[in-house]
Amino acid sequence: MPAEPGVIPALTRWGLSAEADLVYRALVLLGPAEGHRLARELGLAKARTKAALDELADAGAIVFSGAAWAARDPDDVARHLRRRQPPPPPPADRWRQHFATIEGLAGTGPPDRHARLWPSRAATRKRVAQLAAVERHEHLTVNNEPVISVESMSAGQPVDRRLAARGVRLRVIDRERPRAPATAGPPVPLGPVRYVATPPMKLMVFDRKVALFPADPLDLERGYVEVADESFVAALCTLFERLWAQGRDPHRQEVIPIDLSPRESALVGLLALGHTDQTAADELGLSPRTVAYTLRALMDRMGVRNRFQLALALGAAGAVPTLQPTEENRPT
């Protein structure tokens, strides 16, 4: 089992791709892994995973040991990359350039008079604690980090618990991530959560009055910008609500869609109208045995044990109208 990591540097600071950064973080947190396992765990195409591994190996961030790739120590990697190519200082308007690409924010004016820079994550965490201490109504969070570090979790959980204990409503929009082992997964949110494939930014909004977001979206260690401009914060809240409406609700029942062949579609359509196996076979020019085989194959595909369950599953998936519970498909 891998050792608990400290701060994992953002490799994008030294020009590596976001996918290389994601693969490196997965190797640090999950331990050595083969390329195909990483592709499966992260939901990346095999070719993109291989390209990321090649990029990491070329940068000296990972090594191949036996049959698996292993991450080098994050501190060693950061020192190596600093020597190889010091990260350029981010331009002062990096976050404004990023906002100009986000739908709904591109037309908002820069809140220069109401913007304040907190120069590091440590300073930002202290400011978050101060803002949360006086928060009374609602706390909004958008998290787009590929991997949540142990340090971030340990810093955020106490704040969230105190907010929830005071009755502050917490809503979280999180990034969709592959299912991870329980020891490596993020904490269970203390309020409603929605999942979005790639949220456009990282964001916290306090009582819809103050917002915090990264000064440099590619390097969270560069600090955060605090904005209290009323119209600008309102635009950020509008963006949050749009993402919330589009996000996946984990508590909503999800139905796996199914594609039926023309024969299957015609057969279940007749059965939905109340036909028996024999009359459906006559209508389609099939033998009763072929009808039985077709239904048995459908039950196996849907993971059900009888025709009544098959009727419910197909109806829920929207493949056909709900089948009528005839004597032939009624459970015994």
Side-chain angles (χ1 to χ4, degrees):
M1 184 174 180
E4 184 175 288
V7 176
I8 303 174
L11 302 188
T12 50
R13 294 172 60 184
W14 292 280
L16 275 72
S17 68
E19 289 177 348
D21 182 77
L22 174 61
V23 170
Y24 176 73
R25 289 171 181 270
L27 287 171
V28 171
L29 292 173
L30 302 180
E34 298 174 343
H36 64 82
R37 180 195 168 194
L38 285 169
R40 183 175 66 253
E41 294 282 351
L42 299 174
L44 291 176
K46 291 181 179 179
R48 294 167 67 184
T49 303
K50 182 179 183 304
L53 289 169
D54 291 342
E55 188 178 352
L56 290 168
D58 182 64
I62 61 174
V63 294
F64 191 71
S65 176
W69 289 98
R72 290 182 57 200
D73 180 78
D75 291 337
D76 292 341
V77 170
R79 282 192 292 268
H80 170 71
L81 291 175
R82 286 192 196 101
R83 288 193 300 267
R84 193 181 77 157
Q85 181 183 355
D93 60 351
R94 176 73 58 82
W95 64 269
R96 293 188 183 89
Q97 294 172 352
H98 175 61
F99 276 30
T101 68
I102 301 176
E103 181 183 354
L105 298 181
T108 57
D112 293 319
R113 293 180 301 149
H114 302 272
R116 178 178 182 180
L117 176 65
W118 297 95
S120 67
R121 288 187 106 174
T124 302
R125 287 181 181 127
K126 291 181 181 179
R127 182 55 176 162
V128 168
Q130 292 171 352
L131 292 170
V134 297
E135 202 167 9
R136 292 292 177 266
H137 305 293
E138 186 177 43
H139 185 85
L140 308 178
T141 299
V142 180
N143 183 27
N144 66 349
E145 292 183 78
V147 179
I148 302 176
S149 70
V150 174
E151 184 183 21
S152 294
M153 285 191 285
S154 61
Q157 285 177 334
V159 174
D160 288 350
R161 282 195 292 266
R162 287 193 292 269
L163 288 172
R166 294 206 313 269
V168 175
R169 187 189 185 201
L170 289 87
R171 285 197 289 160
V172 176
I173 294 173
D174 203 357
R175 178 174 181 151
E176 288 274 18
R177 298 182 183 85
R179 190 177 299 276
T183 55
V188 177
L190 298 177
V193 62
R194 296 286 173 88
Y195 293 100
V196 175
T198 53
M201 64 181 297
K202 188 174 176 68
L203 173 69
M204 285 178 284
V205 181
F206 302 80
D207 278 341
R208 296 183 177 254
K209 295 179 180 178
V210 179
L212 279 171
F213 47 83
D216 182 352
L218 298 179
D219 185 359
L220 302 185
E221 299 301 326
R222 297 286 184 174
Y224 279 64
V225 174
E226 177 182 336
V227 173
D229 180 85
E230 183 176 350
S231 62
F232 196 82
V233 174
L236 292 172
C237 291
T238 299
L239 170 66
F240 181 94
E241 297 297 348
R242 177 166 58 83
L243 294 173
W244 183 264
Q246 296 171 353
R248 178 178 68 85
D249 183 351
H251 299 294
R252 184 180 300 163
Q253 183 178 7
E254 296 182 1
V255 178
I256 300 175
I258 181 171
D259 293 324
L260 300 180
S261 69
R263 172 184 288 180
E264 291 169 339
S265 180
L267 175 57
V268 296
L270 289 172
L271 295 178
L273 295 175
H275 279 263
T276 65
D277 283 13
Q278 183 63 59
T279 58
D282 293 341
E283 285 284 333
L284 298 174
L286 304 172
S287 69
R289 178 171 294 182
T290 299
V291 168
Y293 286 157
T294 301
L295 291 174
R296 180 70 261 172
L298 265 178
M299 283 187 273
D300 291 341
R301 282 167 57 194
M302 298 292 287
V304 298
R305 292 177 294 179
N306 56 53
R307 295 190 184 191
F308 186 77
Q309 293 175 348
L310 175 64
L312 295 178
L314 289 173
V320 292
T322 303
L323 300 183
Q324 299 295 321
T326 64
E327 291 302 322
E328 293 197 14
N329 61 30
R330 193 182 303 277
T332 57

